[in-house]
Amino acid sequence: MAGVVRGALRSRRAQAATVLVLTGLAVAVAAAAPWYARAAERSVAVADVDGARSSELVVRVAGRVEGSIAPGGSVRPGDEVVSEVGEQAGDVVDVPGAGTTVSLRESGTIASELARINLRLVYRDEMCEHLDVEGKCPQAAGEVLLSRRTAQTLQVGAGDKVEFVLASQPPIEFTVAGTYQIGDPLGAYWALTDFGGSAALDPGADGPGDPAFVASDTVAALPVKEILADYHLRVPERLFLDDLAGLRADLSAVSRNSGAWRVTTDAVTLANRIDQERDLVTLGVGVAAVQLLVLCWFGLFFAVRHTAEQRRPDIGLLKLRGAARWRLWYLAIAQSAVPMVGGAVLGVVVGLGGARLVAGQVPEPGSAALFSGIAALAALAGALLAAVAADAGGMRAPVTDLLRHVPSRRRGWRAEVVDLIIVLVAAAGLYQSYATASEDDTSGLALLAPALIAVLVALAAARLLTPLAGRVGRRALRSGRVPAALGATQLARRPGTHRVFALLVIAVALLGTAVGGWAAASDGRTERARHELGADRVLTVQARSRAQLVAAVRAADPGGTQAMAVVRSNDGPATVLLAVDSARFAAVADWQPVYGDVPPAALLRPPAPEPLSAADGELTLDVAAKMMPAPLAPLTPGGAAGGAAAPAPAEPIFVLVHLATEAGDQVSLRFGPLGDARATYRAPLSGCGAGCRLLGIEPVTRNFTGRSVAPEPGATVTVFGLSGAAGPVAPPAVLGDVSRWRAGVGRATVGPNLTAADGALTITAVRAAREDDRSTRVYVVDAPAPLPVVSTGNTSPPAEGDPRLAVFGGEDVPVRTVGAVRTLPTVHRFGYLMDLEYADRIAENPGTVDVPQVWLAPGAPAGIVDKLRAGGLTVISDETAASVTDRLGREAPPSALRFQLVAALAGLLLTAGAFIVVAAVERPERAAELAALRAQGLPPRVVRRVAWGGYAGLAVAAVLLGLGASALAQAVTRRPIPLFVDGWDVLPVAVGPQPLPLGLALLVGLLVVGAAGAVAAVLLVRAVRREESA
Amino acid sequence: MSGLAVACRRVVHIYRAEAGDVVALSGVDLSIGPGEMLALVGPSGSGKSTLVALLAGLMRPSAGRVNVGTYDLGKLSDAEISRLRGTQIGVVLQGAARNLLPYASLERNVWLAQRRAARTEGIELEDPERILDLVGLRGKGAARLTDLAPGARQRAALAVGIAASPGLLLVDEPTSQLDSHGRDEVLDALETVNAERGTTVVVVTHDAEVGARLGRAVTIRDGRVGAEGRGGQDFAVVAGDGTVQLPPDVLGHFPPGTLFTVDQADGTVTLVPGGAAQIPETHTGDAA
């Protein structure tokens, strides 16, 4: 019997080869799917970890340990305190393989003679390795390392003394060991600390200052009852990739109350995101694979059923000889099973090889290969079942039917029932996908919805095809159009044509949907990357100051069209503040039309008085001071409101003149002590080079510690002139114009009173409910206040008071909305756009959580980065729209969509193969018919037209209808796979069918299905010729 | 196996079709003795092949009885009929190619046709080579159908038909499209089978000479047994319902509707036309 089967396979090798290829394709996809899903799961996890915020890779355990003045406590060595923290916190969370760091900190105020700043005194393991230190890193007790900015504000340097003041404790003197700038502000070392961040500043409640670093002994010796301590664990990346469950178990303390220690981390968020991505990959790949498998099985069913037509006489013959049933099945099924098994073996090799090539290695190849094997076996089993089903008809048919040349065309009720069941299942599935789908639901059914629509359309069209072709044939015959009549009639009479047509329609529709999803996701990624970055290329930099940032960028790109200084900051978690060099914004920012119109520079940067500037040399202040009655009386019952002269100040009054260098460094000069009479005072100004910007004037006095504070209420200072070597810095016209001066804009700031007359400015200290709110600092008006801002349309004005924004993360400043747009670059929900220079001028304190960036336009030359470096900027990250697009491309949705695309292409190839088989099987009969007609005088031209019209025409019709079904599916169903795993939807994405992807699918469909149709037509024409000459 | 007797009694067969029912056999009475050779002759569409299909159990009669040996085919199940075809009834279809698997050798084809009988007790099967030898195809066991000349193909088909040593061999048009030499070869083979095994042979043919050579030729006309030729002489046959069909040449002289008086004397029946012929209008139309 085996010999008979061998002979049968040899004589029908084309059909066997097709079945082999089709099965190979199905099995290849089935085998590839688990491997691909595994590999994609890993690669999306790798991408997630790569793109993770550093806080997601770090666990922080915060708590307290005993300080030196705790009951029974004593000053301990710093090492002892550090190891105690390590032991206690390490018991709370233990992640194997994690690197750990201990930090000790205490808040207080650090003060020099000129200024005071609230900050944290910090010890941290390995801190010196992560700081760029000028001077030396503190090793001994009593040494302190200040940030360059703090040192600059305090006007101190290495070797100088500063005082650290803890509440209710006498000042402690420290020696400045050096200054630092954080080397890797975005690195994991600084994650989840209060002292990292790109600006290396601390926005915490303790004050805006940068941390001051000290040795552990220094913190251990502080007179405090408890020392605040942090224990950071850097989670090894491999745990996220290989042992998510173990990591979750390790981090179970996160949501637990662990006594004195509190655990915070975003690692769980990352773990959840990885899980979500993996689920999406598995689901997306799984659904695509199942869809393709079902398509394969149907394709195989039709292919085998058509080859079974050729087996009918064989079966009939065996039945005629009374052969046993098993022998009939053996002869029939073996002819399909042998090529199927062969195809399966090839398919496994190709599928696994392809998946490995495309998706790479997987962590546990054995288990992935096992799953692939199971899937391949399932695919093969399905294929064999399809073969059994395809041959079952022949087994049931009577011998006379089997032996007939032209089989009976009776359509059995089973086919009707199968159609009905398919339609019902499709309709129910579609309804279910609507009924159960919420916006963020990605259930399998929702993923299947487009395929179900394709099935419905395809079946309906296929049902119409036969009667329609019959009618067209009859009409054409009546009107004498022979080619059309013959083509249509044969189309109507060919058994199984409508089935293959339905398959082709479904395959093309799936391809259309896959290409549509792919294109939308691809566009979405590009748009998101452009939006999130804000410009074609964005450098995150470190700068001494915002002024230096602006100056360096302007120097690197004098033309103003290639680079722009930007400082990003946040006001709360959802609001992004973008301070930009507004004159360059339109040219450099990647402004997408969907945002609205580009805000004109004039809107953000209305004209303002020029800054007053002073050059190096001696500054002369012409000033008088006296005590006046306090303009604001204390609100005490029965108290006299003003009127009474205040007692003379106990301490002399000084005047501080604040300036800023071009690099943004603050320079303060002290004039005085002032006497009652008008007099001129001198102070040398250096470090300004060509000029420093005058920030303001501040009358001060000294408190009991000798530090500068606001003088008593009523103290009045009148400035008659401020001039430098080159001439007046504040000419009388400016001093006498009260509109050129303003008090601080802080929400709580009280005072001073300002009056200007006769070319002189009078500053009077006032009372305030809280002494800390009192200010005598007067600012030069060189920027509009409130600050003009353009907001996203969704922002709402504050419930009470004037609108204010915490620009640069510092104290909030008043703003005025001058325009609104739909959204702004980089903004997720709410956002404000403002001029960087103006914002910098009006923001009173340095601000802390700002991210200095340089945005580069597409045409920016490569050398511009070197120029920026030369301008004093340190580039700490460099991103391009393309690199962000690439990162987004490594997430789960693209992986799933990629597989869908490949599966859809494979499906199309498969159905095209089935189409060719059907054509091959019916070719002899059709060729004989057409040859007979040729013998009766039918011109060869008509034969060609009949062949091409029958096959190529059918192919084109199927492609067009398939695309129609795809367009319908895309129009009425949600996108089956979300564009982004985090549901990002800031920019509107194109919904429904898009012409370009549909065009692409049309092209591919025509290429593949059209080629199959063309091959079938050409072979038929040749067969007719052969038949004629035979 | 020795030959099987065949008996058909008032066999009627009607093909059901959408365009209307077609009566293929309308009361056939036929008896064939065991080991007899018989030709079924008649024009196309007369019902010869239908009768053979009924004898082979490929179809069931609409009415009447078909007996092969001791079996009433109408009462057998499909499985029993299938077994009967595998063991006792050999069928050779019209067109040699329809009887053999084209991709298998002659020997393999014969072997396949023996499978059912091989599993049935009491049947002794001959070696495929021997069977091929019987039909004059010695040494051709490895050949395939396409390797053979037309006459040899027909004999190969015959070899498959007799592979299971059936008691009844039904052969449909074995000599069509063959030259006289080929025809003789086929008929020789049939005669050999009949002579050596005693197999009852029923041959459907258009060829009167084949009928003459087989000794008994039953003519089927309009679904009935119209005549029978034996020993070179043609006979009209009285059917079970008493009807007798006139020979075609006689019938040509009497249009349908002609009235006769029937005289019987000395064992001779004389038909005397009498009275005006009552010709139905449709016939008139046909004649016009």
Side-chain angles (χ1 to χ4, degrees):
Chain A
M1 200 66 194
V4 177
V5 171
R6 260 202 311 279
L9 285 172
R10 257 203 301 277
S11 73
R12 290 164 188 159
R13 51 178 93 79
Q15 286 85 336
T18 312
V19 169
L20 183 140
V21 169
L22 294 187
T23 313
L25 208 55
V27 171
V29 169
W35 186 285
Y36 181 90
R38 279 289 179 86
E41 276 178 8
R42 186 175 174 82
S43 62
V44 296
V46 168
D48 275 337
V49 172
D50 282 350
R53 285 176 287 122
S54 44
S55 64
E56 290 175 328
L57 301 172
V58 170
V59 182
R60 175 189 188 180
V61 187
R64 294 157 195 269
V65 290
E66 204 172 76
S68 63
I69 60 167
S74 61
V75 175
R76 293 185 287 164
D79 290 349
E80 193 182 303
V81 178
V82 168
S83 59
E84 185 188 334
V85 171
E87 281 166 22
Q88 288 192 18
D91 286 344
V92 177
V93 177
D94 180 24
V95 178
T100 60
T101 316
V102 171
S103 316
L104 307 173
R105 63 194 151 88
E106 203 53 60
S107 299
T109 304
I110 207 151
S112 68
E113 282 191 4
L114 278 176
R116 47 190 286 135
I117 291 176
N118 295 332
L119 48 63
R120 285 177 179 179
L121 210 58
V122 173
Y123 161 78
R124 186 142 213 242
D125 290 344
E126 302 159 22
M127 61 191 182
C128 296
E129 291 160 31
H130 296 273
L131 298 170
D132 295 335
V133 177
E134 274 179 48
K136 70 182 184 82
C137 211
Q139 303 291 335
E143 288 181 341
V144 66
L145 184 70
L146 299 176
S147 76
R148 200 153 66 185
R149 190 154 39 178
T150 306
Q152 210 277 317
T153 306
L154 297 175
Q155 309 254 304
V156 293
D160 289 345
K161 303 286 183 193
V162 289
E163 283 179 353
F164 182 67
V165 185
L166 283 164
S168 318
Q169 294 288 339
I172 307 162
E173 193 173 73
F174 289 147
T175 305
V176 178
T179 60
Y180 73 84
Q181 210 164 7
I182 288 181
D184 53 345
L186 302 179
Y189 180 81
W190 299 108
L192 285 183
T193 64
D194 294 333
F195 17 91
S198 66
L201 292 165
D202 176 9
D206 300 323
D210 298 342
F213 289 98
V214 293
S216 58
D217 289 339
T218 309
V219 183
L222 287 176
V224 290
K225 288 181 180 170
E226 288 177 323
I227 299 170
L228 299 173
D230 288 320
Y231 179 73
H232 286 88
L233 299 100
R234 285 188 296 282
V235 180
E237 293 181 359
R238 58 172 179 77
L239 291 185
F240 286 102
L241 305 181
D242 303 332
D243 190 15
L244 222 46
L247 180 62
R248 281 220 167 81
D250 294 337
L251 298 180
S252 56
V254 173
S255 52
R256 216 167 49 209
N257 181 5
S258 304
W261 297 93
R262 196 161 50 85
V263 184
T264 49
T265 182
D266 293 337
V268 179
T269 314
L270 177 59
N272 290 344
R273 195 163 69 234
I274 290 173
D275 264 349
Q276 201 186 347
E277 296 235 33
R278 284 179 169 173
D279 288 350
L280 195 60
V281 166
T282 311
L283 192 66
V285 170
V287 166
V290 167
Q291 247 169 237
L292 180 62
L293 261 188
V294 173
L295 199 65
C296 280
W297 288 334
F298 270 101
L300 274 169
F301 172 74
F302 293 129
V304 173
R305 201 158 82 161
H306 274 74
T307 54
E309 293 290 333
Q310 292 183 323
R311 284 196 288 275
R312 284 172 74 90
D314 303 359
I315 303 298
L317 211 53
L318 289 191
K319 272 192 165 183
L320 183 71
R321 310 281 174 229
R325 255 190 127 57
W326 70 265
R327 204 176 286 279
L328 303 181
W329 276 109
Y330 182 76
L331 181 66
I333 292 302
Q335 292 185 45
S336 305
V338 171
M340 277 177 176
V341 171
V345 172
L346 280 179
V348 167
V349 173
V350 170
L352 278 181
R356 206 171 153 169
L357 207 67
V358 172
Q361 189 56 270
V362 298
E364 292 168 20
S367 121
L370 181 70
F371 273 105
S372 286
I374 292 171
L377 275 180
L380 176 63
L384 290 172
L385 265 180
V388 169
D391 268 314
M395 297 299 158
R396 280 194 306 270
V399 180
T400 44
D401 229 17
L402 291 169
L403 293 174
R404 204 177 286 162
H405 276 297
V406 182
S408 154
R409 294 198 193 284
R410 271 197 318 259
R411 189 179 157 86
W413 58 269
R414 285 184 185 83
E416 309 284 348
V417 170
V418 167
D419 275 7
L420 189 66
I421 289 173
I422 291 175
V423 167
L424 285 178
V425 167
L430 208 55
Y431 171 76
Q432 185 77 359
S433 86
Y434 265 113
T436 60
S438 62
E439 273 305 304
D440 55 349
D441 173 49
T442 311
S443 68
L445 220 47
L447 291 174
L448 278 176
L452 295 178
I453 287 182
V455 167
L456 287 179
V457 170
L459 280 183
R463 268 317 177 88
L464 286 176
L465 180 74
T466 309
L468 200 68
R471 179 169 292 194
V472 168
R474 282 192 295 278
R475 192 164 288 183
L477 201 60
R478 275 201 295 275
S479 60
R481 288 175 293 133
V482 177
L486 275 176
T489 308
Q490 294 213 345
L491 201 64
R493 287 171 54 82
R494 260 151 42 202
T497 302
H498 69 284
R499 296 270 177 212
V500 174
F501 181 72
L503 268 190
L504 286 173
V505 170
I506 292 170
V508 173
L510 289 181
L511 178 75
T513 309
V515 173
W518 169 257
S522 180
D523 292 348
R525 284 200 299 278
T526 309
E527 278 180 20
R528 178 175 180 174
R530 286 175 58 194
H531 176 82
E532 289 199 335
L533 213 51
D536 185 58
R537 184 178 175 191
V538 171
L539 311 173
T540 300
V541 297
Q542 274 187 303
R544 285 173 79 95
S545 67
R546 288 180 279 272
Q548 188 213 12
L549 175 71
V550 173
V553 174
R554 284 181 181 170
D557 172 30
T561 55
Q562 294 171 338
M564 171 175 68
V566 176
V567 175
R568 263 191 102 211
S569 56
N570 283 75
D571 185 9
T575 305
V576 171
L577 309 181
L578 275 184
V580 299
D581 196 349
S582 53
R584 297 166 175 241
F585 184 75
V588 177
D590 188 356
W591 186 270
Q592 302 189 38
V594 67
Y595 299 160
D597 294 330
V598 188
L603 208 57
L604 295 170
R605 199 181 164 88
E610 278 301 306
L612 305 177
S613 80
D616 278 353
E618 199 171 54
L619 276 196
T620 308
L621 183 70
D622 183 1
V623 67
K626 65 176 176 182
M627 285 306 299
M628 297 274 286
L632 286 178
L635 300 172
T636 47
E651 287 289 331
I653 293 177
F654 296 83
V655 169
L656 299 180
V657 171
H658 300 291
L659 300 109
T661 66
E662 269 195 339
D665 292 346
Q666 197 170 322
V667 179
S668 297
L669 298 180
R670 191 167 60 186
F671 296 88
L674 307 187
D676 284 350
R678 173 177 172 177
T680 55
Y681 301 87
R682 288 178 173 75
L685 175 64
S686 62
C688 286
C692 279
R693 186 167 67 88
L694 178 64
L695 299 178
I697 299 169
E698 183 179 15
V700 293
T701 184
R702 286 180 170 170
N703 69 0
F704 67 100
T705 64
R707 302 299 162 205
S708 300
V709 294
E712 288 297 312
T716 299
V717 169
T718 302
V719 180
F720 295 98
L722 175 66
S723 51
V729 175
V734 173
L735 284 171
D737 181 358
V738 78
S739 69
R740 295 296 306 273
W741 304 92
R742 63 174 173 81
V745 293
R747 189 189 290 272
T749 304
V750 178
N753 274 4
L754 287 181
T755 53
D758 304 329
L761 175 71
T762 303
I763 305 162
T764 309
V766 298
R767 292 184 188 281
R770 274 170 23 110
E771 181 62 23
D772 282 351
D773 295 342
R774 248 160 37 81
S775 169
T776 50
R777 186 160 175 170
V778 174
Y779 294 84
V780 178
V781 171
D782 52 9
L787 182 69
V789 294
V790 167
S791 69
T792 53
N794 52 0
T795 54
S796 50
E800 56 181 18
D802 297 331
R804 283 174 167 270
L805 290 172
V807 176
F808 309 129
E811 199 170 339
D812 51 14
V813 300
V815 296
R816 179 168 58 90
T817 303
V818 293
V821 288
R822 192 178 178 282
T823 187
L824 287 164
T826 80
V827 168
H828 190 189
R829 285 188 69 194
F830 311 116
Y832 292 90
L833 185 70
M834 62 202 71
D835 183 73
L836 173 56
E837 245 180 339
Y838 279 1
D840 191 31
R841 286 179 191 172
I842 201 169
E844 283 169 17
N845 58 43
T848 51
V849 285
D850 55 337
V851 181
Q853 293 181 328
V854 180
W855 289 12
L856 298 174
I864 202 163
V865 179
D866 294 332
K867 289 185 184 169
L868 291 169
R869 287 201 181 100
L873 303 183
T874 309
V875 177
I876 55 176
S877 93
D878 182 352
E879 281 187 301
T880 60
S883 70
V884 177
T885 309
D886 184 52
R887 177 169 55 77
L888 293 172
R890 280 182 278 133
E891 288 187 347
S895 291
L897 287 166
R898 204 158 34 230
F899 190 85
Q900 281 205 332
L901 201 60
V902 171
L905 266 176
L908 192 67
L909 286 173
L910 183 134
T911 41
F915 183 30
I916 289 177
V917 170
V918 169
V921 168
E922 64 189 17
R923 192 176 305 128
E925 199 180 322
R926 292 204 64 199
E929 289 168 9
L930 287 171
L933 288 171
R934 277 281 296 126
Q936 293 169 40
L938 191 75
R941 170 176 53 84
V942 176
V943 170
R944 275 198 301 277
R945 283 173 63 182
V946 168
W948 280 89
Y951 288 120
L954 188 75
V956 170
V959 169
L960 293 179
L961 199 66
L963 285 182
S966 165
L968 178 70
Q970 291 179 57
V972 302
T973 60
R974 280 186 310 113
R975 211 174 286 290
I977 291 183
L979 297 187
F980 302 104
V981 77
D982 58 2
W984 189 87
D985 60 352
V986 175
L987 298 185
V989 289
V991 182
Q994 299 299 309
L996 209 64
L998 278 182
L1000 187 65
L1002 174 72
L1003 202 67
V1004 175
L1006 282 180
L1007 218 62
V1008 175
V1009 183
V1015 166
V1018 168
L1019 291 179
L1020 177 60
V1021 172
R1022 274 192 207 160
V1024 173
R1025 271 195 217 122
R1026 265 202 307 276
E1027 192 80 17
E1028 278 178 70
S1029 57
Chain B
M1 176 177 285
S2 56
L4 293 173
V6 174
C8 300
R9 294 291 170 261
R10 300 205 179 173
V11 173
V12 175
H13 190 76
I14 301 169
Y15 287 107
R16 308 275 173 202
E18 283 174 17
D21 295 347
V22 177
V23 180
L25 299 177
S26 53
V28 171
D29 289 296
L30 180 65
S31 295
I32 305 169
E36 196 175 354
M37 286 184 84
L38 172 141
L40 285 176
V41 294
S44 295
S46 58
K48 310 181 295 284
S49 294
T50 303
L51 183 58
V52 166
L54 292 178
L55 293 179
L58 298 176
M59 295 190 294
R60 309 272 179 154
S62 308
R65 242 168 57 191
V66 177
N67 282 24
V68 172
T70 55
Y71 302 104
D72 180 349
L73 298 189
K75 290 183 177 169
L76 297 183
S77 67
D78 286 348
E80 286 166 332
I81 286 187
S82 173
R83 194 172 57 239
L84 207 59
R85 271 204 309 271
T87 53
Q88 302 193 38
I89 303 176
V91 182
V92 179
L93 302 167
Q94 182 178 4
R98 292 176 67 203
N99 292 276
L100 291 105
L101 297 176
Y103 42 79
S105 65
L106 297 189
E107 191 180 339
R108 213 14 89 165
N109 269 294
V110 173
W111 177 85
L112 262 179
Q114 291 178 321
R115 286 311 91 201
R116 190 63 184 246
R119 290 193 299 136
T120 309
E121 277 184 31
I123 298 181
E124 275 191 29
L125 288 173
E126 287 183 76
D127 189 66
E129 267 302 316
R130 160 82 189 109
I131 292 171
L132 289 171
D133 191 16
L134 195 67
V135 296
L137 290 173
R138 180 198 290 260
K140 298 280 186 188
R144 283 163 206 259
L145 187 70
T146 46
D147 303 333
L148 303 177
R153 288 184 187 184
Q154 195 58 56
R155 281 179 284 137
L158 206 57
V160 175
I162 61 170
S165 302
L168 171 64
L169 179 63
L170 303 167
V171 190
D172 196 358
E173 300 283 6
T175 58
S176 63
Q177 297 180 342
L178 292 185
D179 57 17
S180 58
H181 178 67
R183 185 184 65 188
D184 289 343
E185 280 180 343
V186 171
L187 291 178
D188 288 347
L190 280 173
E191 282 167 353
T192 308
V193 170
N194 176 256
E196 288 198 6
R197 297 184 171 181
T199 308
T200 308
V201 177
V202 176
V203 176
V204 172
T205 182
H206 276 93
D207 192 341
E209 283 185 40
V210 174
R213 181 159 167 187
L214 292 184
R216 184 182 172 195
V218 173
T219 305
I220 307 290
R221 265 202 309 266
D222 296 333
R224 288 164 176 255
V225 174
E228 191 169 324
R230 292 184 185 223
Q233 195 176 353
D234 287 341
F235 301 93
V237 181
V238 180
D241 59 358
T243 56
V244 176
Q245 287 196 3
L246 296 178
D249 50 339
V250 178
L251 201 57
H253 298 291
F254 304 103
T258 306
L259 303 181
F260 289 99
T261 54
V262 181
D263 295 334
Q264 184 185 3
D266 307 330
T268 304
V269 176
T270 311
L271 302 178
V272 183
Q278 294 176 354
I279 302 166
E281 281 188 12
T282 49
H283 285 249
T284 313
D286 280 345

